[in-house]
Amino acid sequence: MPDPQPQSTQDLIQNDRGPLNLRHRTKPHEAVIQMSLLACGLLSIFTTLGIILVLGNESIAFFTRDQWVNSNRPILSHMDEQTTIFTVEPGKALEAVKESGAVRVGQEVMEVVEFQNNQIDIDVIGTSGGFKRFCALDVELAELGVKRPQIVNASRPAKPSEIDRCRSVGITPAPFRVGADALALVVSADNEFITELNVAELRQIFGEAEQWSDVRADWPQEAIQLVIPGRDSGSFDFFVDAVFAKDPAAMLARDPIMSENDNQLVGNIHRNPYAIGFFGYAYYLANIEDLNILALNGVAPSTESVEDGSYALSRPLFIYSDADIMRAEPQVKDFIHFYLERVNAAIADLGYFEASGEAQAQARDDWINATGAADQKALNPADVSGALIAAGSSTVFPLTERIGELFVEDGYLPRFEVRRGLRGENTIAPHSAGIALEYNDRPTLAEFFTNTSWIPAIGEFGVIPLINATLMTSAIAMLVALPLGMGAAIYLSEYASPRVRSALKPVLEILAGIPTVVYGYFALTFMTPLLRGIFGVDVVNIYNTASAGIVVGILIIPLISSMSEDALRAVPNALREASYGLGATKLETVIKVVVPAALSGILAAVIVAVSRAIGETMIVAIAAGAGPNLSFNPFDSAETMTGHIARISGGDLSYDSIDYNSIFAIGLTLFLMTFILNALSRVIISRYREAY
């Protein structure tokens, strides 16, 4: 019988009712499931995009929107509808007000037309230091990053060499006598063996004598500790001139404690009953309970002994300026006028002595000659504009500071001239004195990523301290988690029996289910005391990045171990058996064959763990600290990016304020960091993926 003819495919799928329909018919419940899954996928995509858009929008607002910051400087003058000039309390925030170009009082926005930052800056650098800066070349001042002082505080007359130096740069120092002072010879209040000296003993103590008994046999056999002003101090110069005939070699050979700051000298003398030193009489009066003053040749400093010169260490006090400076900058002329008028009312309270009537009259005549003023009518400091810079003697500093305070009290204050009605005439409103002044502050990207301070309250927006703390805790976490997690993964994959593995792996993964707030308090109540017990309570702060990092490391151990163990178990057994066949031991096989073969999965696990450590919030918020701090010491407190967001967002933040917008800028930075890490993870996986 002949073989049947083969049938075509078309014949096979046909029957007497026509061609078969092999298309899948979707059932109603399957269609619902498909649509639900599609909706979930789209929802997750749009949610992610929404989060990115919100972060981006609020971050852009942080850098571009008007951000009104409270300067904590109330206005002092009442503002009615016509007022365009008003005064405010002095302070550093005014520099930010000046740079912003706009201010706000209440809800009224004003354009700053002119800003006069009337303030007095006084540097204590010693009389010699004051003259050096006063007579320096412009390029020298630029190198130091300082401005030329308009006034020099001097506890002695200018030296001929200093006058010549000034004249070489076109400055003629003009002296104005403001009072008199006495160098106080002082010892600690705990010193009970000395009350007076003569000049010979004074030279001996500050010269060749090494012990007190070298001066008087009944004094203790204890080393004499000299505490003296620095070499730039006028007090140093005056003492050397009066006691050592301008030759300080003998005194300096004794290796004395030296400082331009008289308060530091006071502290050193007070703490050592065998120390002796000298400085202005006013500093003795300010610390009379801690010090004893010594008489010299039987004479103690007093108004009478200083005036008649019977106290050998009495000296005149001056302020210096220059006629051209006073003419070019009238505020200097006006301040010196005010100084000379008020100095006698203030000087006695500070522990100085009034200059004689003849010296005072000479100072007023010198001022008239230098300024060309025809009269000396009463001065109103409220009419004075321009900054004042003084530098020099620490002895004269308290006197100049006090006169400056009186100058401010009488009206010498920073002031603004503004244009009002910036957003329509109806915005102009009266404002009472005392309302806080706000200024517009727009952080820049450069400031955000380079500034090393994060203090939004004063306009400091440098994210570096937050990033540094975040990276430090993450690095410490990885130092803990990587060896432990990899060790656990290798054991479970290569050494543990199936029974042991099935028991240990779930237990290990339970750690991932513990709430992170529990880990946070574990770090604070266990890990921190443990570290303090090991390294000392003086070394380890209560809040520190080390304990937070260690506990974050414990938190991510299950993540590394689980993902790495899965990657190791995915390596085919054929590779292991081939290694054994070549004579390798189990350890050699694990290290040289299995781990390299699973490298892509292991690296992916590490990068995911780093991302988890960077994004951890509760542990670092509880244990690391609550203030941005740029420190590389793991035992110091510091605030991470997530910790800062958690802390500041939990406070009373005004919507759309600069603090509010700063959260999103930090959040976007954090998102970009984790996004880059995850993108890197994808690249590594594709680069090192092994195909079996």
Side-chain angles (χ1 to χ4, degrees):
M1 188 174 179
D3 293 336
Q5 295 293 323
Q7 294 179 310
S8 66
T9 304
Q10 185 68 23
D11 294 334
L12 292 173
I13 64 175
Q14 288 184 353
N15 55 30
D16 57 351
R17 289 179 293 179
L20 296 174
N21 182 7
L22 299 180
R23 290 181 300 172
H24 175 71
R25 293 180 180 179
T26 303
K27 297 179 181 180
H29 69 278
E30 291 179 339
V32 171
I33 293 173
Q34 288 179 11
M35 294 301 296
S36 298
L37 293 175
L38 176 62
C40 290
L42 292 175
L43 181 62
S44 64
I45 292 172
F46 284 119
T47 300
T48 303
L49 291 176
I51 292 172
I52 295 173
L53 288 174
V54 169
L55 285 175
N57 180 65
E58 296 296 339
S59 298
I60 291 172
F62 176 69
F63 293 106
T64 60
R65 188 181 301 164
D66 288 345
Q67 307 280 10
W68 298 106
V69 180
N70 191 324
S71 69
N72 296 318
R73 303 294 172 185
I75 62 171
L76 295 184
S77 57
H78 178 82
M79 294 184 66
D80 58 25
E81 290 85 345
Q82 287 75 41
T83 301
T84 58
I85 297 177
F86 61 96
T87 56
V88 295
E89 288 279 7
K92 291 182 179 180
L94 295 179
E95 288 297 332
V97 175
K98 177 183 177 181
E99 294 174 2
S100 73
V103 294
R104 186 171 74 173
V105 180
Q107 294 301 313
E108 182 178 353
V109 180
M110 312 172 198
E111 178 187 2
V112 178
V113 177
E114 184 179 0
F115 169 64
Q116 298 171 346
N117 193 10
N118 298 338
Q119 63 179 10
I120 305 174
D121 293 324
I122 310 174
D123 275 353
V124 177
I125 54 177
T127 300
S128 297
F131 280 117
K132 286 178 183 177
R133 188 176 295 182
F134 187 55
C135 307
L137 296 171
D138 291 338
V139 65
E140 294 172 335
L141 295 171
E143 290 175 355
L144 294 173
V146 297
K147 295 180 179 179
R148 187 186 310 278
Q150 304 145 327
I151 298 169
V152 176
N153 294 324
S155 57
R156 58 166 174 78
K159 299 177 181 178
S161 60
E162 292 167 338
I163 295 174
D164 292 341
R165 168 67 170 164
C166 285
R167 286 175 176 168
S168 68
V169 296
I171 293 175
T172 302
F176 302 97
R177 178 76 180 274
V178 294
D181 181 38
L183 277 189
L185 296 171
V186 295
V187 294
S188 170
D190 296 329
N191 185 314
E192 299 177 350
F193 61 88
I194 181 171
T195 57
E196 54 85 24
L197 294 170
N198 58 45
V199 173
E201 290 172 333
L202 181 64
R203 291 195 186 100
Q204 193 176 1
I205 289 173
F206 284 87
E208 68 275 7
E210 296 183 356
Q211 293 186 337
W212 288 101
S213 57
D214 295 337
V215 182
R216 293 187 188 179
D218 57 336
W219 285 351
Q221 293 182 350
E222 296 287 346
I224 301 172
Q225 177 62 68
L226 303 183
V227 182
I228 63 175
R231 300 196 65 172
D232 281 340
S233 168
S235 298
F236 177 91
D237 292 336
F238 178 78
F239 185 84
V240 171
D241 291 349
V243 179
F244 291 104
K246 301 184 179 182
D247 183 7
M251 184 168 63
L252 295 177
R254 298 281 305 283
D255 193 24
I257 295 174
M258 304 178 74
S259 175
E260 306 293 348
N261 189 327
D262 288 346
N263 287 315
Q264 293 182 5
L265 302 181
V266 169
N268 280 291
I269 295 172
H270 169 60
R271 290 189 292 269
N272 186 348
Y274 303 107
I276 185 172
F278 60 86
F279 38 69
Y281 185 73
Y283 283 92
Y284 160 70
L285 288 182
N287 300 275
I288 196 168
E289 294 182 356
D290 298 328
L291 304 173
N292 290 335
I293 193 168
L294 307 180
L296 184 60
N297 287 340
V299 180
S302 67
T303 302
E304 295 76 17
S305 63
V306 170
E307 179 65 24
D308 63 21
S310 58
Y311 182 70
L313 295 180
S314 58
R315 55 177 173 168
L317 302 178
F318 301 90
I319 58 173
Y320 278 79
S321 190
D322 170 75
D324 291 338
I325 290 176
M326 288 189 284
R327 292 191 182 99
E329 303 179 74
Q331 73 273 20
V332 181
K333 174 194 70 174
D334 293 336
F335 179 70
I336 294 177
H337 177 198
F338 184 88
Y339 202 128
L340 298 177
E341 290 294 318
R342 295 293 190 92
V343 64
N344 283 348
I347 195 167
D349 292 338
L350 296 173
Y352 299 104
F353 308 98
E354 294 182 15
S356 65
E358 181 181 351
Q360 294 175 32
Q362 183 62 52
R364 286 191 290 269
D365 290 342
D366 291 340
W367 179 83
I368 293 173
N369 293 334
T371 61
D375 55 42
Q376 297 186 51
K377 63 181 180 180
L379 174 69
N380 182 9
D383 297 330
V384 178
S385 298
L388 291 165
I389 304 173
S393 168
S394 61
T395 300
V396 185
F397 166 76
L399 183 57
T400 302
E401 182 183 45
R402 179 56 184 149
I403 299 298
E405 291 171 353
L406 296 174
F407 204 50
V408 170
E409 290 174 8
D410 286 0
Y412 175 74
L413 292 164
R415 55 177 57 88
F416 293 95
E417 181 178 353
V418 299
R419 182 169 67 88
R420 303 179 69 174
L422 208 58
R423 297 181 179 173
E425 292 298 329
N426 59 345
T427 63
I428 298 179
H431 298 287
S432 301
I435 296 179
L437 179 73
E438 295 178 314
Y439 62 90
N440 187 19
D441 188 24
R442 291 184 179 180
T444 64
L445 275 173
E447 177 191 0
F448 188 72
F449 288 110
T450 59
N451 194 340
T452 57
S453 297
W454 181 273
I455 315 174
I458 62 172
E460 296 284 348
F461 297 99
V463 77
I464 287 180
L466 300 176
I467 293 177
N468 176 69
T470 301
L471 295 180
M472 280 188 62
T473 54
S474 300
I476 294 171
M478 294 309 298
L479 289 175
V480 172
L482 192 56
L484 295 179
M486 281 301 302
I490 292 172
Y491 173 76
L492 291 174
S493 172
E494 305 301 319
Y495 290 93
S497 65
R499 182 177 179 181
V500 172
R501 179 180 178 277
S502 62
L504 288 183
K505 189 170 182 179
V507 172
L508 186 64
E509 291 178 346
I510 286 175
L511 290 173
I514 298 175
T516 56
V517 67
V518 176
Y519 279 107
Y521 282 104
F522 172 75
L524 185 64
T525 60
F526 176 80
M527 191 57 64
T528 295
L530 178 63
L531 293 177
R532 300 186 91 189
I534 295 172
F535 298 101
V537 295
D538 296 331
V539 176
V540 182
N541 290 332
I542 294 177
Y543 300 99
N544 61 86
T545 55
S547 63
I550 291 171
V551 176
V552 170
I554 295 173
L555 170 69
I556 62 178
I557 286 175
L559 185 62
I560 294 178
S561 63
S562 180
M563 292 183 65
S564 298
E565 194 263 348
D566 290 340
L568 292 169
R569 286 181 63 83
V571 176
N573 282 330
L575 293 180
R576 297 180 176 86
E577 292 167 356
S579 177
Y580 296 146
L582 293 174
T585 64
K586 192 174 187 64
L587 180 61
E588 290 173 334
T589 300
V590 170
I591 294 175
K592 297 182 179 181
V593 176
V594 179
V595 171
L599 186 60
S600 63
I602 293 172
L603 291 178
V606 170
I607 293 176
V608 171
V610 173
S611 298
R612 178 69 180 85
I614 289 176
E616 171 54 34
T617 301
M618 288 308 301
I619 296 174
V620 294
I622 294 172
N629 177 30
L630 183 59
S631 172
F632 298 97
N633 183 355
F635 298 138
D636 283 345
S637 64
E639 192 168 49
T640 66
M641 301 169 77
T642 53
H644 180 76
I645 292 173
R647 177 177 65 85
I648 197 171
S649 60
D652 297 327
L653 287 183
S654 300
Y655 175 76
D656 218 20
S657 66
I658 195 165
D659 289 19
Y660 175 85
N661 291 125
S662 72
I663 294 175
F664 294 92
I666 297 171
L668 182 60
T669 305
L670 187 62
F671 169 79
L672 291 175
M673 290 172 62
T674 54
F675 176 80
I676 291 171
L677 283 172
N678 282 281
L680 182 63
S681 172
R682 300 293 301 175
V683 172
I684 291 174
I685 290 174
S686 61
R687 171 68 177 82
Y688 293 100
R689 182 185 296 276
E690 297 287 352
Y692 306 111

